[in-house]
Amino acid sequence: MEMKSNTLMFLKVFIAVTLPVSLLLATILYQAFDEPYYHEQFRKGNVYESLQGKDADALLKGLLAYFKGNDNALDSKAFTQREISHLYDVRGLINTAKTVLLMLAFLQAAAVISVIALSKKKFLSELKGPAIIGAGISLTTALMLLLFSLNFSYLFLVFHRFFFLGDTFLFPASSTLILMFPESFFQHIFLRAVLPARIDNDSTRLSGANSR
């Protein structure tokens, strides 16, 4: 009986702790491939005007296809070798996030099935606790990230220093990547990921203004 109780506790803690991670990863990955959202931000950020002589929509389509695994989709003439190298690293990071999300989903499903098998008719009450705790962790994490985002430039730098080697993510202001995806773009997508609901147009303008 004690072993069953300990197993149930472990499974519930696992579900509660990993659920917020899965939700955050799923949200980020969804937004990473949300093409209409990019078009919206391109219009608001005057990207179409900034990329003189380049088709922003075509570059975006090729970039998203590249992130999905099509090596030939990237326009090598529009990006420098340094930019292409960074995009290769970004694709690796996206693939890692996908793998982690799939593994978590599999393990969470197995954990839920195990809880149901062990608790039988009481499984709803057993899963209620992890769901509430997971929601609490998600809310606390979102609030902490929002607090950190008050100095988004620093947070953005720390993120890149952690996930990318050296200064491979630094580019001149005139580079295609910076013109397409300025820091304000990432600040807005960050807020969009951590807030429980999609932020409205007013907050979009605010985030864009604060990031410059």
Side-chain angles (χ1 to χ4, degrees), residues 16-18 20 132-142:
V17 172
T18 59
I132 294 174
I133 295 173
I137 294 174
S138 296
L139 180 59
T140 302
T141 302

Side-chain angles (χ1 to χ4, degrees), residues 65-66 69-74 88 91:
Y66 176 75
N70 186 347
D71 290 329
N72 300 318
L74 203 62
Y88 177 82
R91 184 170 70 171

Side-chain angles (χ1 to χ4, degrees), residues 56 105 150:
L150 294 175

Side-chain angles (χ1 to χ4, degrees), residues 44 188 200-210:
K44 291 177 179 178
H188 183 258
D200 58 24
N201 290 334
D202 290 337
S203 60
T204 299
R205 296 190 198 101
L206 181 61
S207 67
N210 288 341

Side-chain angles (χ1 to χ4, degrees), residues 143-162:
L143 291 174
M144 290 178 61
L145 289 174
L146 286 174
L147 182 62
F148 292 148
S149 72
L150 294 175
N151 187 359
F152 183 77
S153 294
Y154 177 73
L155 182 65
F156 193 56
L157 179 63
V158 169
F159 170 84
H160 281 78
R161 291 290 187 196
F162 184 81

Side-chain angles (χ1 to χ4, degrees), residues 17 25 38 49 65 70 86 94 110 114 122 140 152-153 163 210:
V17 172
L25 284 177
Y38 286 94
E49 291 78 12
N70 186 347
H86 179 63
I94 290 174
S114 298
K122 296 181 179 179
T140 302
F152 183 77
S153 294
F163 286 105
N210 288 341

